[in-house]
Amino acid sequence: MVTTHNLGFPRIGAKRELKSALEGFWKGETDAQSLQDTGRALRRHNWQTQQQLTWSPVGDFSLYDQVLDMSATLGNLPQRAIEAPGSELDAYFRVARGRSAGDIDGVSAGEMTKWFDTNYHYIVPEFHAGTRFRLNPQRLLSQLAEARENAVAAKPVLIGPVTYLWLGKAKDDSDPLELLEQLLPVYAELLRQLSAEGVEWVQIDEPILVTELDARWCHALSLSYHQLKACPVKLLLSSYFGPLGENLRLACDLPVAGLHLDAICAPQEPLRVADWLPGHKVLSLGVINGRNIWKTDLAATLDWLEPLHRKLGERLWLAPSCSLLHVPVDLDNETRLDPQIHSWLAFARQKLDELAVLAQGLDQGRAAVAEALADNQAALQSRRHSQRVTHPAVRDAVDQLTPELGQRRSAYPQRAALQAQQLQLPRFPTTTIGSFPQTTAIRQTRLKYRKGTLDETQYQARVKQEIAHCIEEQEALGLDVLVHGEAERNDMVEYFGEQLQGYTFSQFGWVQSYGSRCVKPPVLYGDITRTRPMTVDWICFAQSLTDKPLKGMLTGPVTLLNWSFVRDDQPRQASCRQLALAIRQEVLDLEQAGVGIIQIDEAALREGLPLRRSDWPQYLGWAIEAFRLAANGVSDQTQIHTHMCYSNFNDILPAIAAMDADVITIETSRSDMELLGAFEDFQYPNDIGPGVYDIHSPNIPSPEQIVALMEKAAEHIPPQRLWINPDCGLKTRSWDEVRPALQNMVAAARRLREA
Ligand code: GLN
Ligand code: ZN
């Protein structure tokens, strides 16, 4: 029998059960016991779903983040989180979000950043020269015991030691790699304990194998696995998200029992790896896309798998390409999707079914799975030939786009002078990133409208009421550039997707973004057209209520692309150009309607970066061109803002500068303005709003803290080019948090102006 396994299953629950449990606990409405009960129920359910696999993952479940879990397992939570009184769970949540249920004072939360090129965020491990690891295997062992109770063929999942160090950050000048020697015995002991519990295989993830590694990191990998070789378990070394490329030999030679390769991202490599891999090693191939929601072409996959299977026999294992964390749980819950589009899709559960068909097809021949293969072919054919996918007019319009359309009329200094005249803003202008708290009332309004219990007129009236409230609050706070608050949007991508043709939506297609935050990426299945203005009415209504300048809010083409499940039947850049054209039309409509400031969020620009630097220029080339096409058709007086979150720009500043936005707002507060050094070195020419309020934590920054941050910022950027704003949108916070925080922000701006 072909061995099948899975690298990880979504833990949030098909109906986001974990989200409610976490949020209830944080609010103090429920206790730790009930949170743990929910976790246990989810794990049991997930294992049941994975029953047909030879090996199911254990330890992939996390209450917040798998990297933070690894830090806890290695006894590497920051001191500030452990010091405060409370349980281990409290310490854990303090690192995750700055506080746990019942904490009176917060601590600074761990930095959060993107997990490779996904939209999942992990908590960055913190290191310093004095870091000492200490094994704390309890979480993993108890999940293992649970798995055993549930008769699961358990394959524990760990982040490998080298990737763990690579993901972290030294808080002093020390070098994380120096910690390896001390870290390895802790891993060895963990593996020993797992073996003592009867574990045969352990999946050890080293996704850094798909990045460019210098000699030191390569050496660290060799050293680690030579040292761990003595451990009494079989290690399945897992790489994913890309080809092994120049690390292929290294990966094949590491002394482990098996190697997992992402055959979706690296279709050329299975054969090469099969040639290189020593004869005693298992080759696990990720043959089902763990990052997308399209059905696999099963027959085509069998075409190339069959010869490999003949060659490798038992040594061939099959799996999804990566953890299924990045796809929604179950397509069967989608009762409202168009049936034809529905037939083109597969979520986590369906992907495991596909895997089972492939395994059976290899074992017993295609005839044994003829029916499943025929259904699969029919679905693929229907998609290939569907009239809804191609729109000739869009294709023509996109063909006619030229790079010149992405060129502002004058250079930034001339524009800035005209804009200053027009806008009359004080020094250190204050603004926000767009959204204001999404209260229960707002969510109810949208929900009722969706369900049809509110009609169009009632809905419009309610949203306008929210906008009016938001404007009133901002005026009372004394902010300089106002926003309408985004009450009509439940999500910055979904909102636009819903109005664009070529997109469709799931009801429960949630994917974890960080902690309890989930996103429901829209499904981009066809050519994109904008049939009508998408934001103009709301923005103009908001502008009509205030004399202050109002900033119109749009999501940029690259973010629309990177945060959607994108069609796989044309290059991503072709879809991106179509999106750029649609956003460009919206920008021009806003300008026409008298909106003088337009923000085009490109929150996800950076996460689209290929994992290998050598592939960056190509991506950045088309991504920046798409932004420019969308944004730069406006007159000099119109001020274009862009916003990016969680980004570290050091290495892409030329591209950021090439966007030529008049103002860029960025995430900086958790990284203490460190980022700005890069802007300074690059002599970034335009305005910058470094975030001074960490909106991902419930903590409220004091005016002193904000002033201090801005003073740091001013060491890098001339004060006349600095804006003051939060890190990101405020929609996840409550008014009780936002009001004092923004009051402090405005107070800080006043102090800075006086100084
Ligand atoms: N304008 C969006 C908001 O404020 C930006 C969100 C984001 O960058 N993630 O919600
Ligand atoms: Zn943001």
Side-chain angles (χ1 to χ4, degrees):
M1 284 288 284
V2 174
T3 300
T4 55
H5 73 112
N6 185 19
L7 283 75
F9 197 81
R11 52 233 182 183
I12 201 77
K15 301 270 166 82
R16 287 185 297 165
E17 294 83 347
L18 183 60
K19 177 187 178 68
S20 341
L22 282 169
E23 290 174 0
F25 173 72
W26 293 334
K27 284 191 204 129
E29 293 165 3
T30 53
D31 59 9
Q33 188 55 48
S34 98
L35 175 60
Q36 300 291 12
D37 288 345
T38 305
R40 202 169 304 118
L42 281 166
R43 289 191 288 272
R44 189 178 334 112
H45 189 262
N46 290 351
W47 286 323
Q48 271 160 11
T49 308
Q50 299 175 90
Q51 232 166 19
Q52 50 188 342
L53 297 170
T54 320
W55 297 109
S56 296
V58 170
D60 58 327
F61 182 88
S62 173
L63 284 176
Y64 200 96
D65 165 43
Q66 72 269 17
V67 181
L68 179 56
D69 284 1
M70 203 63 223
S71 291
T73 302
L74 298 170
N76 186 38
L77 297 188
Q79 194 55 33
R80 61 180 186 279
I82 311 170
E83 259 157 21
S87 64
E88 267 187 43
L89 189 66
D90 291 323
Y92 178 88
F93 285 133
R94 265 176 223 128
V95 191
R97 47 196 300 279
R99 63 174 59 211
S100 184
D103 283 7
I104 298 158
D105 296 314
V107 298
S108 55
E111 212 176 298
M112 221 173 356
T113 196
K114 305 273 182 195
W115 175 246
F116 295 88
D117 58 351
T118 72
N119 179 29
Y120 175 80
H121 305 71
Y122 71 92
I123 303 284
V124 179
E126 294 180 22
F127 304 126
H128 48 90
T131 294
R132 292 293 168 267
F133 299 104
R134 203 171 38 85
L135 183 61
N136 179 10
Q138 221 35 60
R139 173 194 58 91
L140 195 58
L141 293 180
S142 76
Q143 289 188 23
L144 190 60
E146 254 173 67
R148 194 163 308 130
E149 280 162 33
N150 289 283
V152 173
K155 177 200 58 178
V157 176
L158 302 175
I159 293 170
V162 188
T163 292
Y164 179 73
L165 291 178
W166 188 88
L167 292 170
K169 197 164 157 184
K171 290 279 151 178
D172 51 17
D173 288 338
S174 66
D175 173 5
L177 264 184
E178 295 287 321
L179 299 170
L180 183 64
E181 201 182 329
Q182 203 221 111
L183 177 61
L184 290 174
V186 181
Y187 270 83
E189 174 57 18
L190 176 59
L191 295 175
R192 198 197 57 74
Q193 293 197 18
L194 290 174
S195 159
E197 295 297 322
V199 165
E200 184 184 346
W201 281 94
V202 172
Q203 172 189 324
I204 193 152
D205 291 1
E206 292 285 7
I208 60 164
L209 278 166
V210 308
T211 67
E212 284 146 337
L213 297 173
D214 66 25
R216 296 176 64 238
W217 288 97
C218 292
H219 176 70
L221 283 162
S222 299
L223 181 87
S224 300
Y225 290 93
H226 276 95
Q227 209 160 312
L228 296 176
K229 187 170 68 172
C231 295
V233 287
K234 293 182 190 156
L235 294 181
L236 180 70
L237 184 78
S238 301
S239 67
Y240 37 80
F241 301 151
L244 292 168
E246 70 286 359
N247 301 324
L248 189 138
R249 282 289 304 274
L250 170 69
C252 289
D253 289 347
L254 291 173
V256 289
L259 176 67
H260 172 83
L261 172 74
D262 180 335
I264 299 292
C265 291
Q268 321 300 340
E269 289 188 346
L271 276 176
R272 291 184 53 212
V273 173
D275 283 341
W276 274 113
L277 203 66
H280 61 277
K281 288 190 194 176
V282 157
L283 173 57
S284 161
L285 290 180
V287 291
I288 307 279
N289 194 333
R291 299 278 298 272
N292 214 333
I293 40 70
W294 304 105
K295 272 191 176 151
T296 307
D297 187 336
L298 296 176
T301 308
L302 283 174
D303 285 345
W304 66 264
L305 272 181
E306 281 161 347
L308 263 177
H309 182 232
R310 281 194 291 276
K311 177 173 168 142
L312 296 172
E314 300 267 288
R315 289 170 55 214
L316 177 67
W317 288 21
L318 295 185
S321 58
C322 57
S323 166
L324 296 176
L325 178 66
H326 311 288
V327 293
V329 178
D330 191 355
L331 185 66
D332 285 354
N333 290 329
E334 301 299 329
T335 50
R336 291 202 212 135
L337 265 179
D338 171 278
Q340 194 188 18
I341 297 177
H342 190 285
S343 78
W344 303 342
L345 304 176
F347 291 0
R349 251 196 66 193
Q350 290 69 34
K351 285 174 185 285
L352 294 176
D353 292 341
E354 293 188 329
L355 194 65
V357 174
L358 290 175
Q360 201 188 343
L362 289 184
D363 276 332
Q364 302 165 14
R366 295 196 195 200
V369 288
E371 202 182 323
L373 292 181
D375 288 352
N376 177 255
Q377 276 314 304
L380 298 176
Q381 287 299 332
S382 126
R383 183 172 166 212
R384 223 166 270 148
H385 300 122
S386 169
Q387 303 260 330
R388 321 159 68 164
V389 172
T390 1
H391 215 294
V394 181
R395 306 214 147 217
D396 291 345
V398 166
D399 285 344
Q400 278 156 30
L401 291 172
T402 58
E404 292 70 55
L405 292 171
Q407 183 71 48
R408 292 290 295 258
R409 278 157 225 178
S410 310
Y412 169 76
Q414 283 100 293
R415 290 174 351 232
L418 288 170
Q419 291 162 17
Q421 222 169 48
Q422 182 103 353
L423 296 168
Q424 298 291 328
L425 293 169
R427 184 164 275 203
F428 299 111
T430 53
T431 190
T432 60
I433 306 304
S435 58
F436 267 84
Q438 292 255 327
T439 57
T440 320
I442 294 180
R443 287 211 190 85
Q444 286 296 322
T445 299
R446 281 197 314 258
L447 196 69
K448 284 185 187 154
Y449 176 56
R450 258 168 212 269
K451 289 200 171 139
T453 47
L454 273 187
D455 67 21
E456 185 66 37
T457 330
Q458 290 166 318
Y459 174 70
Q460 294 263 346
R462 294 239 186 134
V463 174
K464 285 188 172 166
Q465 226 175 334
E466 286 298 342
I467 292 176
H469 169 244
C470 190
I471 297 287
E472 244 170 65
E473 291 271 1
Q474 293 174 83
E475 292 206 315
L477 285 163
L479 289 159
D480 301 308
V481 171
L482 311 195
V483 296
H484 78 296
E486 302 183 21
E488 79 287 11
R489 305 180 191 175
N490 55 344
D491 178 271
M492 64 188 286
V493 174
E494 189 172 66
Y495 178 77
F496 291 92
E498 277 181 341
Q499 308 192 62
L500 291 169
Q501 250 178 45
Y503 262 118
T504 192
F505 297 86
S506 62
Q507 266 173 285
F508 302 104
W510 297 103
V511 177
Q512 193 173 14
S513 168
Y514 65 91
S516 67
R517 276 283 295 155
C518 299
V519 293
K520 188 147 66 65
V523 177
L524 195 167
Y525 69 89
D527 288 344
I528 293 294
T529 36
R530 189 193 76 140
T531 52
R532 55 175 191 280
M534 304 182 281
T535 60
V536 177
D537 287 349
W538 301 127
I539 308 286
C540 291
F541 173 73
Q543 180 68 86
S544 75
L545 302 175
T546 178
D547 296 330
K548 294 261 177 91
L550 190 111
K551 178 164 70 163
M553 262 325 126
L554 300 174
T555 302
V558 187
T559 298
L560 290 171
L561 183 87
N562 285 345
W563 282 350
S564 300
F565 285 120
V566 180
R567 57 194 287 192
D568 56 356
D569 58 351
Q570 69 178 13
R572 290 173 73 81
Q573 69 211 68
S575 301
C576 197
R577 270 168 87 82
Q578 294 182 356
L579 290 164
L581 179 62
I583 297 300
R584 178 183 180 91
Q585 291 160 351
E586 187 72 14
V587 167
L588 296 178
D589 279 353
L590 280 172
E591 180 180 55
Q592 186 79 46
V595 180
I597 308 183
I598 302 170
Q599 176 171 313
I600 305 170
D601 291 326
E602 285 293 18
L605 182 98
R606 195 176 206 288
E607 77 198 40
L609 277 176
L611 291 170
R612 279 198 164 75
R613 273 173 191 259
S614 50
D615 300 328
W616 284 15
Q618 209 246 346
Y619 164 76
L620 287 171
W622 60 255
I624 301 306
E625 184 184 310
F627 178 87
R628 292 171 57 99
L629 277 170
N632 291 350
V634 294
S635 72
D636 287 342
Q637 279 83 354
T638 301
Q639 189 171 69
I640 296 287
H641 290 218
T642 189
H643 164 72
M644 299 186 186
C645 21
Y646 297 123
S647 299
N648 144 15
F649 301 102
N650 303 24
D651 34 21
I652 55 166
L653 266 174
I656 300 294
M659 292 165 79
D660 201 18
D662 297 300
V663 184
I664 179 171
T665 58
I666 56 179
E667 193 274 351
T668 34
S669 75
R670 278 197 195 186
S671 53
D672 218 17
M673 300 290 153
E674 273 168 31
L675 280 174
L676 292 178
F679 282 83
E680 181 184 15
D681 296 342
F682 181 76
Q683 298 186 313
Y684 180 82
N686 304 6
D687 284 15
I688 304 181
V692 291
Y693 162 24
D694 171 12
I695 64 92
H696 302 92
S697 153
N699 299 344
I700 291 162
S702 66
E704 292 72 29
Q705 282 168 326
I706 297 176
V707 168
L709 281 173
M710 289 306 295
E711 281 170 348
K712 266 197 177 170
E715 289 168 14
H716 300 290
I717 311 293
Q720 63 277 13
R721 289 204 274 114
L722 282 173
W723 288 60
I724 306 191
N725 45 263
D727 262 0
C728 195
L730 303 167
K731 70 179 194 179
T732 54
R733 302 262 63 100
S734 69
W735 276 106
D736 289 342
E737 293 162 330
V738 161
R739 241 180 246 119
L742 294 183
Q743 250 157 21
N744 292 351
M745 197 179 89
V746 172
R750 294 209 175 108
R751 279 193 218 171
L752 286 160
R753 282 169 202 152
E754 280 157 21

